[in-house]
Amino acid sequence: MGEEQIKNLIEPTVDNLGYDLADISLKREKGDLYLHIIIDKVDPISLDDIVKVTEEISPILDENDPISDNYILDVTSLGAEKPIKVEQLEKYVEKYVNVHVTNPINGENYLEGNIQSVTSEQVTLTYRIKTRLVSVNIPRKDIDKARLAIKF
């Protein structure tokens, strides 16, 4: 059974738990076969989230036996600085992000700050220049990459 069939088996359960199934891969690493399941949601994913998803999908995989060889189940998240799809920026209002713009703003292609609002045409981002807070409206079409960022 391939990755698509495994996805069809576990995706309803992952969705019902409130997560998105970001990726599935089945590959051999250093002689062992790994089934990597990557989950996502807007809020940060904790170790408890990983355990919950593992405990729910493991019996489904055991019962349906989609992989004939022995394998190691590895459930993870996209991480603290996960990429964000530009078309989903509305979900990240009030989150601290890093965006790459194709047309520089104040000479910068990368801006890091809090998303204040998102419309179909623009994203309003508040960020720091030294000690002052600056708000800028970025044409949405100019944002080609975005990810969550860690604020220090």
Side-chain angles (χ1 to χ4, degrees):
M1 192 176 274
E3 294 167 1
E4 190 63 32
Q5 290 88 352
I6 294 169
K7 177 183 175 185
N8 292 338
L9 272 177
I10 65 171
E11 191 166 39
T13 300
V14 172
D15 287 346
N16 286 339
L17 291 170
Y19 306 94
D20 296 321
L21 190 55
D23 194 31
I24 293 178
S25 68
L26 182 63
K27 58 186 168 186
R28 200 160 290 281
E29 298 173 17
K30 297 182 182 174
D32 291 321
L33 187 61
Y34 283 84
L35 175 59
H36 297 285
I37 308 291
I38 301 175
I39 60 172
D40 190 27
K41 68 177 183 175
V42 172
D43 296 322
I45 292 181
S46 70
L47 187 56
D48 290 340
D49 295 318
I50 299 293
V51 169
K52 180 175 22 172
V53 172
T54 302
E55 288 175 346
E56 291 292 326
I57 66 171
S58 189
I60 295 167
L61 293 167
D62 289 345
E63 181 181 315
N64 290 280
D65 201 20
I67 304 166
S68 57
D69 292 342
N70 290 334
Y71 65 93
I72 297 166
L73 176 60
D74 176 38
V75 178
T76 61
S77 72
L78 290 171
E81 291 192 338
K82 70 177 182 175
I84 300 169
K85 293 179 181 173
V86 176
E87 59 271 11
Q88 294 182 346
L89 283 171
E90 290 84 356
K91 294 180 179 181
Y92 296 91
V93 171
E94 298 183 13
K95 302 288 185 196
Y96 193 73
V97 300
N98 177 293
V99 296
H100 179 265
V101 292
T102 53
N103 294 315
I105 296 173
N106 299 326
E108 300 292 330
N109 284 90
Y110 287 95
L111 300 172
E112 199 165 283
N114 285 45
I115 295 178
Q116 298 303 309
S117 65
V118 179
T119 68
S120 60
E121 299 295 317
Q122 72 181 17
V123 174
T124 303
L125 186 76
T126 301
Y127 65 101
R128 286 202 177 279
I129 297 178
K130 296 187 181 182
T131 58
R132 63 188 177 103
L133 219 46
V134 177
S135 196
V136 63
N137 294 321
I138 306 167
R140 196 167 178 159
K141 65 177 180 44
D142 289 354
I143 299 173
D144 68 341
K145 286 190 260 181
R147 65 172 171 78
L148 285 181
I150 297 173
K151 191 175 190 177
F152 291 100

